[in-house]
Amino acid sequence: MRSLRLSAAVAAFVACFAALAGPLRLAVVSGETVANCSNFETQAGAQTYFLAAGGSPARAVGSLDPDRDGVACETLPRPYAGYATIGYNRKRGFLFGVATMPARAGGGYACLYGNAAETGGIRRVRLFRGSPGHGSRLAGDDVSPAEAEPGSGRLLWKLDRPSLPRGSYYASFEGRYWPHPGGSSECPAFSSRPTELPAARGSR
Ligand SMILES: [Ca+2]
């Protein structure tokens, strides 16, 4: 099992998302903090920690993602969050991305459907330039709906953008319709990690 130090940045990030993560218990072994799924009460809480710690299909972060699909602790209960990416096809001038959603223990995948308007609608994406909390939304950026692939548990989206300045961008998947006041959503909003994208041809 790999281990990692709980950096100040990760600790701050986890504190900010304490409501999502629920009580967090991380075992400390010889001064190092070990991440495993038993430390978390919800899948979304584990996913939040996983991303803050630099998790990806190439980095499992302790034992949070042994199957290396970028989704942490699929066996934990709701709420659920996925692993999202964003990219830019400079030659053809379009933004694109995919979100891998948690597999349910009983079969199928969590949170492929649902948006702020409809519980049964497909997830919607909004695109931002900058960093989360400080990003500016791209004009005309709604990709509604994203395409859900129930067989693979993925959400796909694509947006033509022939003009694009170089910069850091991220995709944010809208949370599902809140079922009742004060209730908890099974599918809260989640975002890709901000990713540096090249400028479009002829742009800077
Ligand atoms: Ca996984």
Side-chain angles (χ1 to χ4, degrees):
M1 177 184 299
R2 296 177 58 189
S3 61
L4 70 158
R5 288 187 184 283
L6 182 65
S7 68
V10 172
F13 197 94
V14 169
C16 290
F17 286 85
L20 189 64
L24 178 62
R25 305 177 302 277
L26 293 177
V28 178
V29 179
S30 301
E32 293 193 329
T33 302
V34 178
N36 61 67
C37 293
S38 65
N39 299 134
F40 303 91
E41 293 194 344
T42 70
Q43 190 277 325
Q47 188 70 15
T48 298
Y49 180 90
F50 175 78
L51 294 177
S56 72
R59 187 178 180 200
V61 181
S63 60
L64 299 189
D65 185 27
D67 62 355
R68 300 295 183 104
D69 64 353
V71 182
C73 304
E74 289 94 328
T75 58
L76 290 178
R78 58 178 282 181
Y80 303 104
Y83 179 77
T85 63
I86 183 171
Y88 183 59
N89 186 317
R90 188 169 184 263
K91 182 177 180 181
R92 298 189 176 179
F94 64 84
L95 291 152
F96 63 95
V98 59
T100 305
M101 304 307 295
R104 291 181 185 275
Y109 296 87
C111 301
L112 289 175
Y113 301 93
N115 58 54
E118 301 176 275
T119 53
I122 298 176
R123 300 296 291 267
R124 294 193 296 208
V125 186
R126 290 190 168 86
L127 305 177
F128 294 84
R129 185 182 188 202
S131 57
H134 306 282
S136 57
R137 191 172 155 189
L138 273 64
D141 66 334
D142 275 335
V143 180
S144 179
E147 180 182 351
E149 292 193 330
S152 65
R154 289 179 173 157
L155 296 165
L156 309 176
W157 61 269
K158 173 177 175 285
L159 177 69
D160 289 332
R161 200 76 179 183
S163 175
L164 188 81
R166 180 198 312 269
S168 181
Y169 294 84
Y170 64 97
S172 179
F173 280 81
E174 186 177 52
R176 189 157 77 178
Y177 171 78
W178 211 260
H180 52 82
S184 60
S185 174
E186 180 176 277
C187 307
F190 67 96
S191 300
S192 70
R193 184 174 286 119
T195 302
E196 193 71 19
L197 298 181
R201 287 180 168 177
S203 300
R204 292 193 171 186

